[in-house]
Amino acid sequence: MTPAEGSIALSARVRRIKPSASMVARDRARRLQAEGRDIIDLTAGEPDFDTPKHISEAVAAALAAGETRYTPVNGTITLRKAIVAKLAREYGVRYELDQIAVGCGAKQVIYNALAATVGEGDEVIIPAPYWVSYPDMVLACDGTPVVVPCGETAGFKLTAEALEKAVTPKTRWVILNSPCNPTGAFYSEGEMRALIKMLLRYPQIALMTDDIYDQIRFDGGAPVCPTALEPELGGRTLLVNGVSKTYAMTGFRIGYGAGPRALIAAMNTIQSQSTSCVSSLSQAAAVAALNGPQDFVAEALAAYRQRRDRAVELLNRVSGLSCQTPDGAFYVYPSCAGLIGKKTLEGRILATDFDVVMYFLDAAGVATVDGAAYGLSPYLRLSIATSIDKIDEACARLARSCAALN
């Protein structure tokens, strides 16, 4: 007998939010592939490389050693020591073990922080384009996302002037993602200092930096950490990071945050009543990633740079598309403004970037994500965490499908 549907009332919280747009796009591509369609999937925000061997070996060693039991909610001491060492080594900042939280991916760390601090009426400033989950996580915590458009002429980055215009007495957080998903934009030291100077005038506002792509930068420079530039901001800043992107460990689900003790304790309380600790084996793998050889990081970065350069070159040859060169991460964010208003052979008008996405999926067999999902249209997000051959073929298909438009 099939169970009855619709008998459980859903909360207002879940009705406020929507599924991750990037996950929806990827699921759509996978369904078409399962049906036998030849789809080049450029939606995935994960490296296509295998996890480095020494990290996988650390999992096997932990398993053999019987490290299969619960750990502290905020992570093993060994992992927290590795995180503290990474932050000191690469950012030039010093945190203590009780200032570190470990979660099931950076996404959980961000959600825990918002759940611990945001309530009804509280506002969170989010520059757009943004990672798709930020606004919905704020909504899930009863807060109000305040989206600040940061267009192409601003390099897709928040300025101190734009930030100040968005601030109200209800502002509780500003979230910065650098390098950014989806644009690859990176805040320089000068740009970060300008934002810090403004924030120092508003002591009620906390700063959250999502640094998950911090090692995927193409200028060869060091990470820009706000608490290193201005230690006074440390008491109201949460640094968020993880091992997923840098070390090709998306499935291990390890993220971490570094911040003031009271906030970290509150985040741990939230997590203790939801997921509790992270997988012990994943934590062992993260220790190996942070403490072990870093050769893979440089090798992957070189590959991403080559892919970025190729994708930008080819996309700028496609009629109707134009693409800035991103500073980091492994995405490109081309404008499709030149395609808006075009007509397909079937007579359908491309009125939005989502229409363009669906046209490319149907006509070219190339899966992308619409800029509207990231808060700024008309753009497309394409992942370049794939081979040069796939990038070449995808761009050739896009060029042919654009040439067929009227």
Side-chain angles (χ1 to χ4, degrees):
M1 179 181 294
T2 302
E5 292 290 336
S7 58
I8 299 177
L10 301 180
S11 70
R13 176 178 297 105
V14 77
R15 293 197 299 270
R16 283 196 297 270
I17 65 177
K18 56 187 181 296
S20 165
S22 54
M23 292 297 99
V24 169
R26 191 172 193 192
D27 288 346
R28 185 191 304 130
R30 285 174 168 170
R31 285 197 303 272
L32 291 174
Q33 288 171 334
E35 293 170 5
R37 289 279 307 276
D38 177 17
I39 302 295
I40 298 177
D41 184 4
L42 300 183
T43 67
E46 64 178 345
D48 62 332
F49 302 110
D50 291 333
T51 303
K53 186 178 179 182
H54 72 278
I55 298 174
S56 300
E57 289 173 345
V59 177
L63 185 61
E67 296 179 20
T68 57
R69 301 186 181 279
Y70 292 131
T71 76
V73 170
N74 58 339
T76 64
I77 290 177
T78 306
L79 176 53
R80 281 180 284 144
K81 284 182 176 179
I83 293 166
V84 165
K86 177 244 172 31
L87 295 173
R89 180 176 66 245
E90 297 175 6
Y91 288 12
V93 290
R94 176 68 188 178
Y95 286 86
E96 302 299 330
L97 296 185
D98 59 356
Q99 293 181 282
I100 305 297
V102 175
C104 300
K107 180 181 283 190
Q108 185 181 35
V109 174
I110 295 168
Y111 181 83
N112 286 349
L114 295 173
T117 57
V118 173
E120 187 174 354
D122 291 336
E123 296 177 352
V124 177
I125 293 175
I126 303 171
Y130 48 68
W131 180 47
V132 294
S133 292
Y134 297 147
D136 285 288
M137 285 195 282
V138 173
L139 290 169
C141 295
D142 298 326
T144 301
V146 176
V147 174
V148 180
C150 302
E152 197 164 340
T153 56
F156 300 120
K157 289 181 279 190
L158 181 68
T159 64
E161 294 77 17
L163 173 57
E164 186 148 30
K165 288 179 182 178
V167 168
T168 76
K170 297 179 180 180
T171 305
R172 294 293 172 264
W173 284 97
V174 176
I175 301 179
L176 298 179
N177 180 204
S178 176
C180 173
N181 173 8
T183 66
F186 176 81
Y187 289 88
S188 68
E189 180 177 328
E191 291 164 337
M192 186 66 76
R193 284 190 183 277
L195 293 171
I196 291 170
K197 182 179 179 181
M198 203 286 292
L199 287 173
L200 288 174
R201 300 204 305 272
Y202 295 90
Q204 83 279 12
I205 301 176
L207 173 64
M208 186 186 305
T209 64
D210 180 352
D211 304 317
I212 195 71
Y213 298 97
D214 69 336
Q215 298 301 304
I216 306 175
R217 281 182 55 193
F218 302 119
D219 65 352
V224 175
C225 175
T227 57
L229 297 178
E230 179 50 74
E232 183 181 334
L233 208 61
R236 50 188 171 108
T237 298
L238 179 68
L239 310 179
V240 179
N241 211 319
V243 297
S244 297
K245 313 297 185 178
T246 300
Y247 301 101
M249 294 174 64
T250 51
F252 286 80
R253 308 312 304 136
I254 292 285
Y256 56 86
R261 288 179 176 85
L263 172 63
I264 295 298
M267 291 165 58
N268 290 334
T269 297
I270 294 286
Q271 186 165 313
S272 73
Q273 299 296 356
S274 56
T275 59
S276 191
C277 65
V278 179
S279 160
S280 58
L281 300 179
S282 291
Q283 292 186 66
V287 171
L290 295 173
N291 289 346
Q294 301 296 302
D295 309 61
F296 169 81
V297 179
E299 293 166 4
L301 179 62
Y304 294 139
R305 181 185 289 108
Q306 182 184 23
R307 296 168 181 185
R308 176 204 64 173
D309 292 345
R310 184 64 172 162
V312 170
E313 175 190 358
L314 294 179
L315 288 170
N316 280 321
R317 295 180 188 174
V318 177
S319 178
L321 299 181
S322 65
C323 187
Q324 283 197 353
T325 302
D327 299 322
F330 41 65
Y331 310 101
V332 288
Y333 198 64
S335 168
C336 60
L339 300 179
I340 301 302
K342 295 284 188 178
K343 186 183 295 184
T344 69
L345 292 177
E346 297 76 26
R348 183 162 53 91
I349 300 293
L350 303 182
T352 67
D353 47 20
F354 183 76
D355 292 339
V356 175
V357 164
M358 296 310 294
Y359 173 68
F360 282 156
L361 186 61
D362 293 338
V366 177
T368 61
V369 189
D370 56 297
Y374 302 93
L376 193 70
S377 297
Y379 290 88
L380 309 173
R381 192 203 74 166
L382 287 67
S383 171
I384 54 171
T386 189
S387 69
I388 288 286
D389 288 344
K390 285 188 177 180
I391 290 171
D392 285 350
E393 175 61 21
C395 290
R397 292 186 186 187
L398 295 182
R400 289 193 295 269
S401 63
C402 286
L405 293 169
N406 296 315

